[in-house]
Amino acid sequence: MGVLAFSSMVEGRNEELSTAKLSGGARIHFIFQLIFVKSLEEVDPCSDVTDENIRMVIQNATSPRSSLFVPEVDISLWSFN
């Protein structure tokens, strides 16, 4: 399939548009909007994180001095075992 044919198909300008199924850009849109987004919504990123874990990370990030903000580097290195 040539670049122009592929581009035309994705943009919905293909001369052989199907009336029975989604194709091209419509199929890509369907996958991202309905399937991918639904899958992301089912994931709970905080399922293994407790309030105690969060408190401990904040305390470890502040060192001996109090701090209003937690350094981003400390949070990015945070891993749960």
Side-chain angles (χ1 to χ4, degrees), residues 23-81:
S23 64
R27 180 70 182 159
I28 294 169
H29 182 267
F30 171 79
I31 290 169
F32 277 100
Q33 293 301 313
L34 296 179
I35 297 173
F36 183 66
V37 170
K38 184 179 178 184
S39 297
L40 284 179
E41 289 173 346
E42 292 174 358
V43 173
D44 182 8
C46 296
S47 63
D48 295 330
V49 179
T50 65
D51 289 345
E52 184 60 31
N53 293 134
I54 295 169
R55 262 191 299 281
M56 192 60 60
V57 167
I58 292 171
Q59 287 176 339
N60 286 335
T62 58
S63 67
R65 65 190 186 293
S66 290
S67 170
L68 180 59
F69 301 103
V70 176
E72 185 177 307
V73 174
D74 293 331
I75 298 297
S76 67
L77 297 175
W78 186 16
S79 66
F80 298 101
N81 297 326

Side-chain angles (χ1 to χ4, degrees), residues 9-28:
M9 181 186 66
V10 169
E11 293 173 2
R13 294 182 282 122
N14 191 1
E15 293 177 8
E16 300 173 15
L17 285 176
S18 173
T19 58
K21 64 179 182 174
L22 291 175
S23 64
R27 180 70 182 159
I28 294 169

